[in-house]
Amino acid sequence: MKSHRLLCFLILAFVVTEKTAAQSPETSAAKRQHLSMDNDWRFALGHAYDPSKDFYNGTGGFSYLAKTGNGDGAASAEFDDRGWRKINLPHDWAVEQPFSPKGSFSHGSKAIGRNFPEASVGWYRKSFVVPANDLGKRVSIAFDGVFRNSIVWVNGHYLGTEPSGYNRFEYNISEYLNYGGNNLIAVRADVTLEEGWFYEGAGIYRHVWLNKTDQLHIVSDGTFVTTQLKNNMVDVTATSAIINDDKESRSFNVTQTIIDDNGKVLASKTTTGLTLQPFASQDINNILPVDNPRLWSIETPNLYKLVTTVEEGGAATDSYTTTFGIRTIRFDANEGFFLNGKHVKIKGTNNHQDHAGVGAAIPDALQEFRIRALKEMGCNAYRCSHNPPTPELLDACDKLGMLVIDENRLMGVASTQLNDLKRMIRRDRNHPSIISWSIGNEEWGIEGNITGARIAATMQAFVKSVDSTRYITAAISGGIGSGISTVIDVLGYNYVATKNTDEQHKKYPNQFSWGTEEGSTVASRGIYEDDMDKHQLVAYDRKQNDFFYSLEQGWKYYAARPYLAGMFIWTGFDYRGEPTPFGWPSVGSYFGMLDACGFPKDDYYYLKSWWTDQTVVHLLPHWNWRGKEGREIRVCAYSNCDEVELFLNKKSHGKKTMDLNGHLEWQVKYEPGTLEAIGYKKGVKAGSDVVKTTQEPVSINLQANRDVIKADSKDIALITVKTTDKNKLKVPTADNEIGFSIEGPGKIIGVGNGDPTSLEPDQYLERINLVHIGDFKEKFVDDLNVKAEVAADYDDSNWQNAFKDTRDDEFGRKVKAIVYRAGFTMPADGATATATFFNKNIGKVQSIYINGKEIGHEIKENAGKTEFKLEAALLHPGNNIVAIVATPLLKANIWAGVNTDPGLIQLVYPAALYKRKLFSGYAQVIVQSTGQPGTIVLQATSPELKQSVIEITAADK
């Protein structure tokens, strides 16, 4: 390896359609559309192995793998999903499930997985219209991520299976569509088998898109921008892959244009005289010089756009916008990391992809909130642990100035693993935030042996064949000095307390290195005495055990060694699962600098002291220690001031000098009152922090991170919930249960409080039960005008089982009408639900009776799908009777069948009101727009507390 490398290049963030302001009038006429498919889905749980509970998918005589278009059960376009729940995406059904001690310990003990086959398969269905004039276009459906093992059908046609929950995948559906009419997409996801060892969610937890282009178009993820910086100018190399999916050759030109954030054209080149044969592709390369570029950096994340336009006969057939940044990166084996020629110490965090209340289905605005919270701490780098992230997270990192390690899910060199790796790189390679590709994490079986070295070397070479502009890393917890650590570009240390990095650096002096995981401290926010019975750990910084350093020890180690480029704390945010050092009933981790809601723990302020230039003075603990008067309390100050003086009730407890990257402590005998720390720089007061003893809470206080959100059915506001005492001081020990109600164009999508032991629901949703009608008996009658046979107490014990006779023309000549009878069971609490009968005709004309009362009169087969609301008084717990009087349906031909499914009864139980207990004084409510402009009003109430109301504006712009 060379000890000094310079990499100069670009970066992309997202694809924008013809509506984008960055596109010129000429390209706005292009045919590309990038349409959200997030809204108006239906969802229901299936079953991992019982076909009768999995909507009989795959049970037909010829399966969807045997014959094209043979998607059956819930995969069929004809399947009746009216009884399923209506949802919008992103959606995580795991977060909706209860907690269980039988659930996966590492995945947050939610009741999904192998022990819960009834909750481990989820079905999604969506109807959509494709205009008739789209015929001839290339239409594809793209999923940013479905967890996991997803199978997709369109109009009953099997499209494919994607095993991983982290890969983006796209299917061409052009030939399967009903142009000018309805189309049906069905998705089955199965989370029986875990992919990681952390909470992963379940279902379509990322966005879905419908992409429409001309048959001659730019390939998805087909642009790649690299840059070569020379003094005050940059050469931008733009590569665009063009493909002709047409059945005839096409001749065309390609124009590549760079514009700035004001829409000004900075450079443009056109490649003319191009021809592609059917189903052929070609890379178009141009170098576009730009003078005086504004570089992308952590402080000033400047971005540009490359607009690639395909023109044929003077008209634009496709346009594709790529957002990128211009910057240089360099690792030095002795001095660490450099961005744009400037030394930058990596101050990073590891993070998984879930948040309180919403699980893995994180709204886009919440991604940005989380990155901003980390940046406020001084964090400048983000490791995607341990999988490719959602694209919107990378967009936020590009926009806000956060360096990124983009991490592959599973090491391996078979075509499966290398293809997944390539897909990640092609998707993400234009993000300026990404400085390194990680090929793996803590692969214990191979990281210290020759097999690991071979795999890592091959993967590293493969990555460079796709993208040679970034460095490759792997995170290693053992086996330093052998195996993977001997071949990797940038050695990633996981926890140096058990490793000698100085010896490794001496042995491999030209190897770059950094800490991919460090710290691993465990703490409960706002807790200052261990309570092992309650699974609560003090928030003071301390090492977990002898295998780890404390946060302070870890940072001091890395800060003192220039050859180490920096470190990534484990972790930035708490996450579900891995509740080290506990088990059930703890369900969340204790590692974060912020809890699962994003509320800072005290360690956050230690890092902020030494990771930012802002003056920081932070005191811990709280000062509510009733009953412990006279007892010594450990008081700590996190600060970057030269000195800090501590006062209790205006009496000094001494001024102390702050060591570099350190903290200060005092032992103070408790007495109620005011604890104050004053920080001094060069002898002058520079900052302070005050902690006061509070009284009992009397009022609820609500505070939103944003007063105005977009009225787009996606944008959110995060509401912080706390209580105050009679002196309007926040009560840090409050644990009141708070109830929430909402009015206006908004809804609550989740609640949390940051307590790793909380077993309260994240979401309060309406509950849907589907009541299936039992096996029918039948009796032939002369006409539809029957009375006795439809009565609830009629004795049908001598009737024959229904549908035994072949429904052919001969049957139709003999039988004029039929009475069908069957029972169905209503649960004991059925009266509290809204009941709807979703009818599917089993006769050409039929009347329907429930417990002897007619609910539908002479419904014709061609009337389509009908439904009937059932009054509560009509039903009773236990067995109920449905009777259908019908003229018989007959087979259209000898191989056809007739419908024997009468439909079902849906019971909708109203959602309970949202509520959450405060933990160490805080809770969080996530409010989302429902799509209409107006004022959203959130009300919070609790017995004996003054209620609080907050208003949020949902605006069109």
Side-chain angles (χ1 to χ4, degrees), residues 580-598:
T580 306
F582 301 114
W584 177 265
S586 290
V587 294
S589 80
Y590 295 73
F591 297 115
M593 302 300 98
L594 304 101
D595 69 17
C597 295

Side-chain angles (χ1 to χ4, degrees), residues 17-185:
T17 68
E18 71 275 8
K19 297 180 181 179
T20 238
Q23 296 179 3
S24 67
E26 291 77 18
T27 62
S28 66
K31 300 178 181 179
R32 176 178 292 268
Q33 290 180 283
H34 183 61
L35 307 174
S36 173
M37 292 281 280
D38 284 351
N39 291 347
D40 302 320
W41 289 75
R42 296 273 188 170
F43 171 78
L45 290 173
H47 200 277
Y49 58 79
D50 186 343
S52 69
K53 298 177 181 178
D54 200 38
F55 309 106
Y56 294 98
N57 175 246
T59 61
F62 294 94
S63 78
Y64 59 85
L65 296 178
K67 294 291 183 180
T68 302
N70 267 31
D72 60 350
S76 169
E78 304 306 317
F79 179 83
D80 187 0
D81 58 19
R82 289 175 295 166
W84 292 14
R85 181 155 63 97
K86 297 177 181 179
I87 64 160
N88 291 336
L89 307 179
H91 174 245
D92 174 7
W93 90 71
V95 79
E96 302 171 359
Q97 303 308 307
F99 297 96
S100 170
K102 296 181 180 179
S104 172
F105 164 81
S106 65
H107 283 60
S109 298
K110 284 290 188 175
I112 63 167
R114 197 169 295 282
N115 292 333
F116 303 90
E118 72 286 353
S120 296
V121 169
W123 280 91
Y124 297 83
R125 288 170 53 91
K126 176 180 172 64
S127 178
F128 62 103
V129 174
V130 177
N133 60 9
D134 279 346
L135 180 62
K137 294 181 181 179
R138 186 184 191 277
V139 183
S140 62
I141 188 79
F143 295 83
D144 285 341
V146 181
F147 198 84
R148 64 169 296 276
N149 201 31
S150 64
I151 311 174
V152 183
W153 298 262
V154 164
N155 294 336
H157 294 273
Y158 169 68
L159 302 182
T161 301
E162 173 53 61
S164 177
Y166 302 109
N167 289 338
R168 178 187 179 275
F169 56 98
E170 185 169 3
Y171 300 116
N172 178 9
I173 59 175
S174 308
E175 315 306 332
Y176 302 126
L177 294 174
N178 175 25
Y179 292 93
N182 285 324
N183 296 270
L184 193 288
I185 182 169

